[in-house]
């Protein structure tokens, strides 16, 4: 894998270099100066390098995020290769080292979108970017005490998702479909993952209003279809007919659950899931899943890059924006059978063309700390 | 400890008993486990639950049998995750391209997937033998190549196989067990045939038991090794087909977890990692132990994270029980 990834990064670097050469030829000295000149202590940058730092592309979710970043770059009239990919492979150390390397290479003329891999890594990354006079927007990971407004303009924004509310909504759909009584089982993500914890909490919150429904069991299925399949089979042995509904932490788990039920010839069991993958949406349309939640990773990836870029070139001044424009939740859309096909046509079959300067329109309010 | 004491007293009588113990220990563990789970939750013993365990175990059994041959040779094959993914995806593409139902020429996708597995295993073996790279490294690297290849082929998408005829592997039952369990059973017999009734099978043991001796006897060890990896690749492919049959989805993640599952199962079953000892029946018992634990833990309501811990402890116990460590001059 490592050589594969290394080759990939190398290729991306070369593409980036080719782009620099072309832009230097095409746009002349101005562009070349912007890229090569010292980028320190400027109010706004000209033609900054746009980079996305993330885990890797083999994960469908991150693939969507980065495709959003590429769509944004293309909207600026550049080829999508113009987006520099910094791939951390799940290593915070590599994530930070990559950022420092690209800051040195660009002399701080950089608009960076990043998921820092874990929360503690956000501070050194943001610190390094601010010191170099570059601009950064973060996604998902940061500690609660780290805020964009403590870094002037250079830490542009942070976007995250809270899954508790939406998971509670899908749970209510499920519990209604069960007629408000019977047993429910939950198949969760990797036990220590924050979204896994929040999605189970969502179910628990909804259960408070349904005293006749019993949470029979909640087991981690590690976001994995085959694991979910086995766990669901074992649930069927333990609880049999007591199970009247299944709450899945994401779509890939739901696929495994559906197949475990199919093996037993059980049809029409109420199931809800999360993530809004295309196949899950199709299954919602067929009423095999009753609800899923779409978090629009494409938009999230694009707008994070757009925020960093437009702050960098001076389209808006982050420090003049209210706090809810600098720390906010990403969009969530609940998909149910009646609107599934329409949703699929609008969001999945054809990716909508977003206005990448509408920074906060689809977002979901300021981040609340508990 | 008790065994050592008996050994001192019983002298030579113990060596036979120890061998018997080593031979039957994994099966004993399996029976004890089943009894334990049955006492904790009587529903564990139902036919339907055994069917569920066997459904889950069938793909892993095929993969574990494949790697058993390689381990008997004293090598190791860690390419299963990549190979399974590539075979699953190759099968799905070929199957859909040829018509998408077993009632058409699309059945050719089945042998095609096995061919893909054989080729991957063959290349794996060649890299190990010709480039003289330890099998551990060569196969691990090939596994990563496979995962990457599957990723490139699918672009990260899942491919659904909805053909009712193919899915009858899961949905059609004979005597309460789905067809895929019988398919796995047939391939288990094939593996047993290869192991006991073919020259190749005996040569695996010759290479694993003492490579120097095998070379001195004029055996083309390199050829045996490459063939061993090729056979393993075919069994990985069968595992991939059953995995797709089980959940109806072919994707890069189809191969996930097979490495841990199959190596654990082989070792727990009593096949020694240094080669020459064990066989497909050991692997069957090992796979069943792993999946009985996975199923039983949930059935009696123990949290999932305990499962991995229990499996880890079992691996150590299995090695302690099933191998005569005094006969090993050094541990590497």
């Amino acid at each position: 894998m490592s050589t594969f990834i290394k080759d990939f990064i190398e290729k991306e670097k070369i593409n980036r270099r080719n782009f620099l050469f072309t832009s230097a030829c095409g746009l002349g000295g101005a562009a070349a100066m912007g890229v090569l000149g010292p980028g320190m202590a400027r109010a706004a940058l000209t033609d900054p390098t746009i980079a996305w730092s993330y885990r890797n592309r083999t994960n469908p979710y991150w693939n969507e995020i980065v495709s959003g970043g590429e769509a944004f770059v293309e909207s600026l009239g550049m080829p999508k290769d113009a987006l520099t990919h910094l791939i951390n492979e799940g290593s915070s150390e590599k994530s930070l080292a990559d950022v420092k390397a690209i800051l040195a290479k660009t002399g701080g003329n950089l608009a960076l979108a990043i998921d820092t891999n874990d929360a503690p890594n956000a501070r050194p990354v943001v610190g390094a970017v601010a010191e170099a006079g570059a601009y950064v927007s973060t996604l998902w990971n940061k500690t609660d005490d780290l805020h964009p407004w403590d870094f002037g303009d250079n830490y542009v924004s942070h976007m995250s998702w809270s899954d508790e509310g939406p998971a509670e909504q899908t749970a209510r759909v499920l519990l209604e479909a069960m007629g408000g009584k019977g047993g429910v089982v939950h198949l969760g993500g990797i036990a220590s993952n924050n979204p896994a914890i929040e999605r189970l909490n969502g179910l628990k919150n909804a259960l408070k209003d349904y005293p006749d429904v019993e949470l029979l069991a909640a087991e981690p299925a590690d976001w994995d279809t085959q694991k979910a399949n086995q766990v669901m089979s074992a649930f069927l042995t333990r609880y049999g007919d007591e199970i009247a509904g299944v709450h899945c932490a994401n779509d890939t788990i739901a696929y495994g659950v559906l197949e475990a039920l199919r093996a037993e010839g059980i049809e029409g069991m109420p199931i809800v899931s999360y993530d809004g993958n295309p196949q899950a949406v199709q299954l919602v349309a067929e009423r095999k899943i009753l609800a899923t939640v779409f978090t629009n990773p494409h938009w999230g990836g694009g707008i994070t890059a757009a925020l960093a870029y437009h702050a960098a070139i001076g389209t808006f001044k982050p420090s003049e924006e209210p706090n809810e424009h600098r720390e906010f939740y990403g969009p969530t859309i609940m998909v149910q059978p009646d609107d599934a096909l329409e949703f699929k046509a609008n969001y999945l079959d054809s990716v909508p063309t977003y206005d990448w300067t509408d920074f906060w329109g689809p977002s979901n309010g300021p981040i609340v700390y508990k | 400890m008790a065994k050592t004491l008996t050994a001192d007293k019983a002298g030579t009588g113990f060596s036979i008993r120890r061998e018997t113990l080593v031979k039957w220990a994994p099966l004993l563990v399996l029976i004890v486990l089943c009894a334990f789970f049955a006492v904790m939750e009587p529903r564990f013993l139902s036919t339907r639950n055994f069917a569920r365990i066997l459904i889950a175990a069938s793909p892993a059994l095929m993969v574990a049998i494949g790697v058993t041959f390689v381990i008997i040779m004293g090598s190791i094959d860690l390419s299963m995750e990549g190979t399974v993914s590539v075979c699953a995806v190759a099968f799905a593409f070929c199957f859909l391209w040829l018509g998408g139902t077993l009632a058409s020429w699309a059945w050719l996708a089945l042998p095609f997937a096995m061919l893909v597995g054989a080729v991957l295993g063959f290349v794996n073996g060649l890299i190990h033998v010709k480039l003289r790279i330890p099998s551990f490294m060569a196969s691990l690297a090939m596994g990563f190549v496979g995962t990457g290849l599957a990723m490139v082929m699918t672009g990260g998408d899942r491919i659904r196989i909805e053909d009712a005829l193919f899915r009858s592997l899961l949905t059609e039952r004979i005597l309460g067990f789905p067809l895929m369990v019988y398919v796995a059973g047939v391939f288990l017999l094939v593996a047993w045939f290869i192991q006991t009734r073919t020259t190749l099978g005996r040569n695996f043991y010759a290479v694993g038991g003492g490579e120097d001796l095998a070379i001195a006897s004029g055996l083309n060890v390199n050829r045996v090794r490459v063939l061993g990896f090729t056979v393993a690749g075919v069994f990985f492919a069968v595992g991939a087909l059953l995995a797709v049959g089980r959940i109806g989805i072919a994707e890069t993640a189809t191969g996930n977890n097979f490495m841990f599952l199959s190596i654990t199962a082989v070792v727990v079953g009593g096949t020694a990692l240094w080669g020459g000892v064990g066989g497909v029946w050991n692997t069957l018992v090992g796979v069943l132990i792993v999946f009985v634990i996975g199923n039983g833990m949930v059935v009696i309501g123990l949290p999932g994270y305990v499962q991995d811990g229990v499996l880890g402890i079992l691996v150590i116990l299995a090695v302690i029980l099933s191998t005569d460590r005094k006969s090993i001059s050094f541990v590497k």
Side-chain angles (χ1 to χ4, degrees):
Chain A
M1 179 68 82
S2 61
T3 43
F4 174 70
I5 296 295
K6 218 182 278 171
D7 289 348
F8 179 73
I9 297 172
E10 199 52 43
K11 206 177 86 199
E12 292 300 312
K13 272 189 199 152
I14 293 167
N15 285 337
R16 173 70 199 154
R17 216 171 289 145
N18 288 345
F19 166 70
L20 288 181
F21 287 141
T22 4
S23 63
C25 298
L27 302 173
M33 286 293 285
V35 173
L36 303 171
M40 305 288 281
R42 268 184 294 182
L45 307 174
T46 32
D47 193 24
T49 296
I50 307 168
W52 233 119
S53 167
Y54 57 101
R55 179 182 292 254
N56 63 40
R57 260 195 124 143
T58 55
N59 178 311
Y61 178 81
W62 284 105
N63 192 31
E64 277 294 302
I65 292 267
V66 178
S67 69
E70 287 172 339
F72 163 66
V73 170
E74 285 178 307
S75 77
L76 298 175
M78 297 191 253
K80 69 178 176 188
D81 292 347
L83 182 71
T84 302
H85 298 257
L86 307 174
I87 295 167
N88 66 41
E89 283 293 344
S91 157
S92 302
E93 291 74 21
K94 182 162 188 321
S95 160
L96 181 58
D98 283 351
V99 169
K100 287 187 172 165
I102 196 168
L103 283 171
K105 185 181 159 202
T106 59
N109 191 14
L110 175 72
L112 175 69
I114 186 169
D115 169 32
T116 57
N117 187 58
D118 64 19
N121 191 37
R123 188 173 286 278
V125 165
V126 168
V129 170
E131 198 177 313
Y135 292 80
V136 60
S137 286
T138 54
L139 194 72
W140 278 117
N141 281 298
K142 77 168 185 61
T143 48
D144 289 355
D145 62 345
L146 181 74
H147 301 292
W149 46 83
D150 294 334
F151 290 82
D153 291 327
N154 295 85
Y155 186 3
V156 181
S157 68
H158 175 77
M159 176 158 65
S160 188
W161 278 268
S162 168
D163 296 344
E164 203 166 312
E168 181 179 336
Q169 281 181 302
T170 62
R172 285 180 190 281
V173 171
L174 175 73
L175 299 170
E176 280 302 317
M178 291 163 57
K181 59 181 190 300
V184 63
V185 289
H186 170 84
L187 290 92
I190 294 172
S192 58
N193 281 181
N194 201 36
I197 295 165
E198 288 186 342
R199 291 172 196 185
L200 176 56
N201 282 344
L203 171 64
K204 286 178 175 166
N205 290 345
L207 279 170
K208 285 173 193 156
D209 295 336
Y210 293 84
D212 295 334
V213 177
E214 185 192 355
L215 177 59
L216 296 170
E219 277 282 335
D222 302 352
W223 313 118
D224 182 85
T225 307
Q226 303 193 51
K227 177 89 188 279
N229 187 279
Q230 284 159 34
V231 171
M232 189 62 208
S233 300
F235 278 160
L236 287 169
T237 298
R238 181 166 169 81
Y239 301 106
D241 297 339
E242 290 174 57
I243 302 174
V246 186
H247 190 261
C248 304
N250 79 346
D251 294 336
T252 46
I253 291 175
Y255 303 147
V257 168
L258 279 168
E259 291 304 324
L261 294 171
R262 185 205 291 246
E264 307 288 332
I266 300 171
E267 279 174 26
M269 170 83 74
I271 298 171
V272 293
S273 66
Y274 207 102
D275 278 354
N277 285 336
Q279 276 163 358
V281 172
Q282 184 61 42
L283 289 166
V284 171
E286 293 165 16
R287 295 181 186 269
K288 287 179 177 160
I289 297 176
L290 296 180
T292 184
V293 177
F294 181 65
T295 52
N296 209 344
H298 182 88
W299 183 81
I303 211 66
T304 304
L307 278 160
Y309 176 80
H310 282 290
I313 63 166
T315 311
F316 72 100
K317 198 168 163 53
S319 54
E320 286 167 3
E321 294 292 333
N323 282 359
E324 64 258 35
H325 281 181
R326 306 193 67 184
E327 273 187 6
F328 52 89
Y329 287 124
T332 50
I333 303 170
M334 183 156 80
V335 185
Q336 288 187 262
D338 292 335
D339 53 22
L341 287 178
E342 190 191 340
F343 169 83
K344 190 163 179 278
N346 289 343
Y347 284 91
L348 302 176
D349 293 341
S350 59
V351 176
T353 313
Y354 292 102
D355 174 5
W356 296 119
T357 53
D358 179 15
F359 304 122
W360 301 286
S363 67
N364 220 352
I367 291 179
V368 184
Y369 297 98
K370 283 182 187 168
Chain B
M1 285 304 114
K3 275 179 303 189
T4 335
L5 290 175
T6 345
D8 292 336
K9 286 174 193 162
T12 49
F14 170 71
S15 63
I16 301 161
R17 284 190 39 220
R18 181 177 164 88
E19 264 174 32
T20 327
L21 182 75
V22 165
K23 195 173 168 194
W24 295 103
L27 190 61
L28 212 66
V29 169
L30 178 61
I31 292 169
V32 169
L33 277 173
C34 287
F36 170 73
F37 289 127
V39 169
M40 299 293 285
E41 171 64 66
R43 273 179 278 194
F44 174 83
L45 271 186
S46 61
T47 314
R48 281 202 93 75
N49 192 47
F50 279 121
R52 285 166 191 144
I53 293 172
L54 291 181
I55 292 170
S58 293
L61 174 65
M62 293 298 101
V63 175
I65 284 178
V67 78
T68 302
F69 289 134
V70 178
I71 290 179
I72 288 175
M73 292 192 299
S75 303
I76 194 146
D77 189 341
L78 301 178
S79 69
M80 57 279 278
E81 298 197 346
T83 307
V84 166
S85 298
V86 172
C87 291
V89 170
F91 162 75
F93 275 121
C94 184
F95 188 75
L96 295 178
W97 182 62
L98 287 172
T101 166
L102 277 188
S104 68
W105 283 108
W107 67 269
L108 282 171
L110 299 170
F112 174 72
M114 287 160 76
L115 183 71
V116 170
V119 170
L120 286 173
F122 183 72
V123 172
N124 198 357
L126 275 190
I127 291 176
H128 163 47
V129 167
K130 294 292 176 195
L131 298 181
R132 306 187 67 79
I133 299 174
S135 57
F136 165 77
M137 221 45 237
S139 61
L140 189 64
M142 271 301 284
F144 287 141
V145 170
T147 307
L149 188 61
M151 181 65 206
V152 170
M153 286 161 75
T154 58
D157 287 335
R158 296 182 185 82
I159 309 161
R160 286 197 78 86
I161 302 290
E162 291 288 6
D163 176 34
L165 208 54
F166 179 68
R167 295 309 308 281
S168 65
L169 275 175
L170 177 73
T171 50
E172 281 301 316
R173 288 180 185 242
I174 303 173
L175 300 174
F177 294 95
L179 286 182
M180 62 186 290
V181 173
Y182 296 96
V183 172
V186 168
F187 277 94
L188 175 66
L189 292 178
V190 170
W192 176 68
F193 181 82
I194 293 174
Q195 178 191 312
T196 54
R197 297 283 184 274
T198 64
T199 322
L200 183 64
R202 304 317 297 165
N203 285 345
F204 290 154
Y205 285 91
V207 171
E211 196 169 341
D212 296 345
L213 271 178
I215 294 172
S217 328
L219 183 65
N220 185 345
V221 171
N222 282 354
R223 188 171 156 271
V224 172
R225 282 200 191 280
V226 174
L227 280 176
F229 279 93
T230 311
V231 171
V234 174
F235 277 95
F236 294 168
V238 177
L241 293 175
L242 293 184
V244 176
R246 180 160 69 101
I247 55 171
I249 296 171
E251 56 175 332
T252 315
T254 304
N256 283 4
N257 293 331
F258 275 112
M259 194 197 301
F260 173 75
L261 279 178
S262 55
I263 301 285
T264 307
V266 169
V267 173
V268 168
T271 298
L273 277 176
W274 36 86
V277 182
V280 295
W281 297 112
N282 292 75
T283 298
L284 172 67
V285 173
V287 169
L288 288 178
I289 289 176
V290 169
F291 280 89
V292 160
I293 290 175
N295 175 279
M297 289 280 190
V298 181
V299 168
I300 67 172
L302 277 180
Y305 48 82
V306 180
Q307 290 174 29
D308 290 340
V310 171
L311 276 178
I313 292 169
L314 262 185
V315 170
I316 296 172
L317 274 181
V319 176
I320 292 175
L321 270 179
S322 68
T323 51
D324 187 2
R325 280 155 297 128
K326 279 182 196 154
S327 68
I328 302 161
S329 46
F330 57 91
V331 177
K332 52 187 174 180

